[in-house]
Amino acid sequence: MGWNSYNSYSCSPTEQKIKTSAQGLIDLGLAGLGYNFVTVDCGWLQRGRDSQGRLQWNATNFPSGGKGLGDYLHGKGLGFGLYSGAGYFQCGSTDLPASLGFEKIDAQSFAEWGGDSLKYDNCYSTSNTTMVDGDSAEAQSPARFQRMATELDAVDRDIRYYICQWGIGTNLGKWASAIGNTWRISNDIYNAWRSIWRITNEAVRYYKHTTVGAFADMDMLIVGLNALSEQEERFHFSMWAISKSPLIIGAILDSTRLSQSSLNILSNKEIIAINQDPLAKQAQLTRRYTEEEYDIWLGDLSGSRKVLGISNWRNNSQSMTIDLSSLGIASANVRDVWAARDMGARSGVQKVDLAGHEMKIWVLSNIVASSPPRSSGYYSAANATLAGPAHLVSCAGGQCLPTQRKVGDIFPGASVSIRNVTSKRVGKKLVGVDYINFEYAFDTAWDWGTNTRNMTISVNGNAAKRWAFPVSGGDWFETGRLMIEVDGFVAGSGNEVVFRAAAGDVAAPDLVGFEIFE
C-alpha cells in the first residue's frame, strides 16, 4: 500500500511533488491506514552515469538527491520506493539510463540511498530505440528480472521487489511469484471504466500463485483522478481489494485536489482489511452471467470467514438472486461492508439490488457449510462431433487438464457438439466449463481489448447463450474453469450441448470439456 507518482505526473516527478503527496499521506490519515510507501516513478534521474558507472539523480528536480529524499521519507515514517527497468533506458524517455547490464552497481546504489522497494519496468528491453516490445522472446524472458532479484538479495538491505513486466510471455505467475513481491499482470491501467473490465479478466487466473509475500499487481488505482463515477471508484477499489492487488494511490494527495468521496473510498478500513488479510488468498470468480452482466466472487479470509463480491458490470441498476447453498454455505452472518451494516444470519436465496456499475462486498462469518451441488458427469470435448475448422489437439502430460486434449480453432462456422449428456432433472444446471484462453489484450489494451474470448452454448436446440471467458492460465495449454448456469436440459441421457464462437468474434476459447453439477 502506498502512493506512486506516475498516474499524476507521468515521467516528470520533482522532489516537491513527491514531498507534497508524502505529507498528504500523513495529513489525510492514509499513512495510518497502511499507505506507507512513496514511490518515485520514471524520470527522476539525469542523463548518463558518473565516472564509476552509478546512476545520478537530476539535481535540478531533486536537489536533495536520493539519500536526502530517502532520509526525508523515513523521517516521516514512510518507505522509500525507487524505480528503474530491465532495459537500456527508462520508460517515457529516450536517453535516461535503466539497469540492464548494471544490475549489481544499481542495486548497491538503491541500498545506499535507503530504498525500501524497487519497481522494475520493461521498456527498451531489446533495443535502445524501441521503447515497448511485447512480442520478442527477450522482452518476454524472465532472465533480466531474475538478475536484478539476485543482486537485490545480495545487498545489505531488505528491498521489496515489484516486477513490472506487463504480463507478456508465458507462465508469469509461476516465475515472478518465486522472485518478486508483486508482479504487474497487464498493460497500463488508464482513465476509463473499460480498463477495469480488461484488467479484471486478466487477473482471474492468478489465484493459483497469489500467496503471502507474492501478489498479482493489477496496476495503480485511478481513484481520485476524476476518471470514474463515485460508484465506479468503489467498484474498482473493491475488485483490487478482493484480488489482493497492491493498493497504490495515483492521485495527488492534496486536500484541495482530492474529493472527499475519493478519500472516503481509499480510507475504508473494512475494504483495506480484506485486501490486507493475513491469509493472502485471492477471491475467485465463482459464477459468471455474461448476458445479464454480473459476476459472483468468493474468497477465504482469516478467522474462518469469507468475502463475497457481487459485481454489476451493467450501466443500469438491476436485481439478481444468489443461492448461498450453491456456494457451499448453508447459513452465515452477513456484513455489508460498503453500507457498514450487519444483515444478520442469512441462508438460501438472497435477492440483491445493485446500481449501475456497483459492486457489493459482503463479509460472511459464523459460516455453516452445506454440501454444494455434486458432479453428475464429465464430458470431454475429445468425444465431440466437430464441424467447420474445429479440430482435436493432443497435449503433453500435465497440459489441457483433465483430459490432455482440447478442441481448438472454434472459429465462426465451427461447432462442437457433445451428445448423450445425462441430466437427472429437467431445467437449469450448474456447469463447469474447462477451457483455454490465452488471448492477452496487450496490443489492444488502449482500444477495446478485454482479455476474453466469447463462446455460445445451446442445449437441445434451444436459443444459444453467450459467455465471456477470461484468460485461463499461463499459456495456451493451461486449463481454466468457468462456472455458469445453463438452461434447457431434459431428464435422461438424451441431451446435446453445442458450443460455438459468438457472432462477430474471431474465435471461441479452446474447449477441454465440461462437468454438470446437480
Side-chain angles (χ1 to χ4, degrees), residues 277-279 300-306 363-367:
D277 187 81
L279 281 188
D300 292 334
L301 297 174
S302 58
S304 301
R305 299 170 301 140
K306 292 183 183 291
V363 170
L364 311 181
S365 60
N366 295 325
I367 297 170

Side-chain angles (χ1 to χ4, degrees), residues 212-251:
V212 176
F215 304 97
D217 180 1
M218 298 169 73
D219 206 359
M220 291 168 280
L221 296 165
I222 57 174
V223 176
L225 295 179
N226 300 316
L228 305 176
S229 70
E230 182 177 346
Q231 196 71 266
E232 290 167 347
E233 287 195 339
R234 279 195 289 269
F235 186 116
H236 167 35
F237 195 60
S238 299
M239 188 64 74
W240 266 232
I242 69 170
S243 301
K244 300 302 186 288
S245 176
L247 301 180
I248 308 298
I249 301 169

